[in-house]
Amino acid sequence: MFDMDEKMHEERASLSLFFRLLKLGNLKTGLVIAGLFLGIIETIAGLIIPLFTRDLIDQWALDGLDGNNIILFIAAFILQTIAGGFSFYLMTYVGESMVANLRGHLWGHVLHLPIPYFDRNESGAIMSRLTQDTSIIKSLVSEHFVNVFNGLISVVGAIILLFLIDWKITLFIFLAVPVTMLIIQPLGKQMFKISLRTQDELAKFSGHLGRVLQDIRLVKSFSAQEIEREEGKKEIQSLMRYGLREAKIYAVISPIITTVILLVIVIVVGYGGARVASGQISAGSLVAIIIYLFQVVMPFTMMASFFTTFQKSLGATKRITEILEERVETKGFLQIDDFQKPLKFEEVSFSYDGEIQVLNQISFTVEPGKNYAFVGPSGGGKTTIFSLIERFYRPTEGRITIGGEDIENIDLSSWRDSIGYVSQEIPIISGTVKENICYGLKREVSDEEIEDAARLAHAHEFIEKLPLGYGTEVGERGIKLSGGQRQRIAIARAILKNPRLLLLDEATSNLDSESEVHIQKALENVMKGRTTLIIAHRLSTVTDVDTIFVVEKGQITAVGTHNGLLESSPLYRKLVQHQFQVG
């Protein structure tokens, strides 16, 4: 009893979420009503046609055809066709506009989710929610909803007219209705569970495809095609198993419904033929009864399809709602109008998984207009410090402030607009060189400004040599460019943004010696009068900064200038000796 109550509660909750999604998609109820009204006209015209058919057959058997009946017969067909066409288009428009609004809302929500969400979920799985799951809901609204509504009207109208023509035959048809519903209802619940798992597996498969295709060069360079092929085959086989489970349900539903329909038709035709022979009903009436029989039967087959699609839609609704219930990034409410204030880490600790501490109660102060460097072994937490400044993550403990104000209280957009971040991952989007340099800018820039930024980044010379210059397509993730070229474009992007805080995470790591010299000079010019934080493994690039922080195992173990740290920090001295070969 408890399980039944729990299942009913779950079904009501799923239904409530479904209607919430329709509301979120701004379902155009006015157009829905218009579409349903036209559908009613189509259905009524369809119900009238058998009556005209009966009269025409009976008149033909007696004294010839009546011209007026023929005209009305043709008019009913035309009305049914026109009303059906407009109803179909309106409901398709409603479905398309609703899913467009829903996808727009979902996409906007996804873009504002925090970075940890994307750490936990593969991009392919998220794409599956945005495309496949929303398409299922669209299919229900634009295709199945009007069909099942019109089908119900058709069934009710046909049964009423059947009773008026011959109530005895109608009783045979009624016997098929409870039998059909008893079959569909329990199997529909199974379909709901299977559809949930199928959509999960489909999202997982999409995620796998996205990951492999994104890193296809890694796959090929390590000859991992067979490994990925086997992994893909496992997921494909899993999808097939769930597809076969759906097929088993259809394999039970379809033959039984077909058998019931054929049995009813045989009984109606046989019994009706006997009544025609005895003169109790006319031949035209029997033909009308058979047509009405199909108008009762066909909606039931559509209702079975609607029911399974509806169950899938509830599953899709659950998955979409899971994303919408994820909390977005903290936006803050204060505008950062003055960046000329100290930036402080106050006993900040951080863990990605809640277990391993990446940063452990670090504290330091960054004065405006000065240059700072973070050095130390890989994995010490340097990049994590930058990620916290960018507010990609929130500190586990402690806080980060600027001018005494917690940065979480500052408007997120204005905060990030004030920061230029050149990461070692070199993010390049598909598009032209110009689009990459200008990416994310909220102001109009001239070609001269773009070229000036490229020159400062030592990128203009190689860009001019590309086939279309700044209009050259760089390929997915900038694959048509070398690592050094991609990094120089990323630096040009940061320069053009003209940030008040510049974060350079190994900004010269992929450059040859000649390019590094040029860019280092350019960066020195860009860094003047601007607060700059640098992560560097090449210590030669940071010997002249104002302050160097030595970061080791999530802690700042030493602070000072290059010369001071050579004397006071054994780790820093070891790093310098390793790179400069000095004793």
Side-chain angles (χ1 to χ4, degrees):
M1 184 68 180
F2 177 76
D3 290 341
M4 285 185 64
D5 290 341
E6 189 175 348
K7 287 179 181 178
M8 288 178 64
H9 177 73
E10 185 178 344
E11 287 178 3
R12 284 196 297 268
S14 298
L15 195 59
S16 176
L17 290 175
F18 175 73
F19 284 114
R20 277 176 56 192
L21 276 192
L22 293 185
K23 185 178 180 181
L24 188 65
N26 192 24
L27 185 70
K28 301 182 184 301
T29 52
L31 291 180
V32 171
I33 292 170
L36 293 178
F37 178 72
L38 289 170
I40 292 171
I41 293 174
E42 176 194 10
T43 304
I44 291 173
L47 290 170
I48 292 173
I49 287 173
L51 295 178
F52 288 134
T53 305
R54 178 194 63 182
D55 294 342
L56 288 172
I57 291 172
D58 290 343
Q59 288 171 5
W60 200 351
L62 296 174
D63 53 2
L65 298 175
D66 184 347
N68 290 329
N69 276 348
I70 295 174
I71 293 172
L72 291 173
F73 181 76
I74 295 172
F77 264 115
I78 294 173
L79 180 62
Q80 183 186 33
T81 302
I82 294 174
F86 277 105
S87 176
F88 174 81
Y89 179 79
L90 280 177
M91 293 307 296
T92 301
Y93 177 81
V94 167
E96 291 289 350
S97 63
M98 184 275 299
V99 81
N101 291 332
L102 182 58
R103 283 172 176 163
H105 187 90
L106 188 58
W107 176 234
H109 186 82
V110 167
L111 289 174
H112 287 91
L113 290 175
I115 292 295
Y117 176 82
F118 299 98
D119 294 341
R120 299 192 307 268
N121 296 277
E122 289 187 319
S123 57
I126 300 171
M127 289 163 55
S128 176
R129 303 290 174 247
L130 278 161
T131 55
Q132 294 164 350
D133 286 356
T134 52
S135 291
I136 292 172
I137 296 174
K138 182 195 74 172
S139 173
L140 180 72
V141 172
S142 60
E143 298 171 23
H144 294 277
F145 182 62
V146 70
N147 286 339
V148 75
F149 182 80
N150 293 345
L152 287 171
I153 296 173
S154 178
V155 169
V156 173
I159 289 174
I160 291 172
L161 292 170
L162 280 169
F163 263 110
L164 295 175
I165 295 172
D166 193 300
W167 64 271
K168 292 181 180 179
I169 293 179
T170 308
L171 290 178
F172 289 113
I173 299 172
F174 263 114
L175 294 175
V177 175
V179 173
T180 305
M181 294 308 296
L182 285 172
I183 296 167
I184 292 175
Q185 189 173 10
L187 292 175
K189 292 180 180 179
Q190 292 297 318
M191 182 64 74
F192 174 64
K193 295 178 182 177
I194 293 170
S195 67
L196 280 179
R197 294 301 303 273
T198 301
Q199 286 159 322
D200 280 341
E201 291 297 319
L202 196 56
K204 183 180 176 183
F205 182 53
S206 297
H208 179 77
L209 289 180
R211 177 180 60 80
V212 172
L213 295 177
Q214 192 176 42
D215 296 318
I216 191 65
R217 285 166 180 78
L218 175 66
V219 173
K220 289 184 177 294
S221 64
F222 281 84
S223 300
Q225 292 96 323
E226 288 304 314
I227 296 174
E228 295 295 353
R229 182 184 178 188
E230 290 303 314
E231 287 297 317
K233 283 177 67 176
K234 289 178 184 177
E235 291 171 3
I236 290 170
Q237 290 297 316
S238 179
L239 275 173
M240 186 186 77
R241 284 194 295 272
Y242 283 107
L244 290 177
R245 289 185 186 181
E246 282 192 22
K248 287 178 183 177
I249 293 176
Y250 282 119
V252 174
I253 291 175
S254 297
I256 292 178
I257 290 178
T258 302
T259 302
V260 170
I261 291 169
L262 288 175
L263 185 62
V264 171
I265 291 173
V266 168
I267 292 173
V268 168
V269 171
Y271 181 65
R275 288 173 66 78
V276 170
S278 65
Q280 292 177 313
I281 60 173
S282 67
S285 295
L286 179 59
V287 172
I289 288 170
I290 294 172
I291 296 174
Y292 281 129
L293 175 61
F294 280 100
Q295 289 184 340
V296 171
V297 168
M298 292 304 294
F300 272 106
T301 59
M302 288 189 295
M303 286 177 198
S305 176
F306 167 81
F307 198 70
T308 53
T309 303
F310 182 65
Q311 296 298 329
K312 289 182 178 181
S313 295
L314 293 182
T317 297
K318 184 177 179 182
R319 300 304 176 217
I320 292 170
T321 304
E322 285 175 358
I323 293 181
L324 292 174
E325 288 178 347
E326 289 282 342
R327 295 183 64 180
V328 297
E329 293 175 301
T330 304
K331 293 185 178 181
F333 53 89
L334 298 175
Q335 293 296 318
I336 180 163
D337 53 358
D338 182 12
F339 216 95
Q340 299 301 310
K341 296 176 182 177
L343 177 69
K344 292 185 178 181
F345 272 57
E346 301 176 4
E347 297 185 349
V348 170
S349 298
F350 179 75
S351 172
Y352 287 101
D353 57 10
E355 297 179 3
I356 301 173
Q357 289 283 86
V358 180
L359 297 177
N360 188 12
Q361 293 189 325
I362 65 169
S363 298
F364 62 86
T365 301
V366 172
E367 295 293 339
K370 293 188 177 183
N371 303 325
Y372 297 82
F374 296 83
V375 302
S378 297
K382 301 184 296 295
T383 299
T384 301
I385 291 173
F386 277 24
S387 295
L388 291 175
I389 293 173
E390 276 272 65
R391 289 167 63 181
F392 292 158
Y393 302 93
R394 302 180 68 179
T396 308
E397 296 177 10
R399 64 177 193 154
I400 306 169
T401 65
I402 183 166
E405 186 70 53
D406 195 319
I407 64 171
E408 293 292 330
N409 297 331
I410 296 171
D411 177 73
L412 185 60
S413 181
S414 69
W415 176 255
R416 288 180 178 161
D417 284 344
S418 302
I419 299 174
Y421 189 9
V422 181
S423 70
Q424 56 186 325
E425 296 177 357
I426 321 172
I428 298 292
I429 61 169
S430 297
T432 65
V433 171
K434 180 179 178 179
E435 288 170 343
N436 270 278
I437 294 176
C438 297
Y439 182 77
L441 285 179
K442 298 176 181 177
R443 59 184 177 88
E444 293 293 329
V445 292
S446 65
D447 291 342
E448 288 77 13
E449 288 180 274
I450 296 170
E451 290 181 13
D452 287 342
R455 284 191 177 93
L456 283 172
H458 199 65
H460 180 72
E461 185 177 348
F462 87 77
I463 294 173
E464 286 288 284
K465 294 178 181 178
L466 294 174
L468 298 176
Y470 286 83
T472 302
E473 295 282 340
V474 298
E476 185 177 11
R477 301 172 71 190
I479 197 63
K480 294 180 181 179
L481 303 175
S482 69
Q485 289 172 334
R486 292 198 296 272
Q487 199 139 29
R488 279 177 274 178
I489 286 177
I491 292 170
R493 180 193 298 154
I495 292 170
L496 190 62
K497 189 178 183 181
N498 192 26
R500 287 176 275 183
L501 174 63
L502 187 62
L503 306 180
L504 304 176
D505 187 351
E506 294 294 326
T508 60
S509 61
N510 289 326
L511 304 176
D512 54 60
S513 299
E514 181 181 354
S515 295
E516 182 180 352
V517 170
H518 287 289
I519 288 185
Q520 197 61 41
K521 291 179 179 178
L523 288 175
E524 287 173 5
N525 293 329
V526 175
M527 288 158 55
K528 288 179 181 178
R530 179 178 285 116
T531 309
T532 306
L533 307 183
I534 305 167
I535 294 175
H537 288 140
R538 295 185 185 182
L539 300 184
S540 60
T541 62
V542 296
T543 55
D544 295 329
V545 300
D546 297 303
T547 304
I548 298 173
F549 297 105
V550 180
V551 183
E552 183 181 7
K553 296 180 180 179
Q555 293 183 318
I556 295 177
T557 57
V559 181
T561 62
H562 171 70
N563 292 328
L565 288 173
L566 281 175
E567 297 180 3
S568 63
S569 172
L571 175 60
Y572 186 77
R573 187 164 54 249
K574 181 180 178 181
L575 293 172
V576 171
Q577 288 173 348
H578 177 72
Q579 291 192 22
F580 292 93
Q581 297 298 311
V582 294

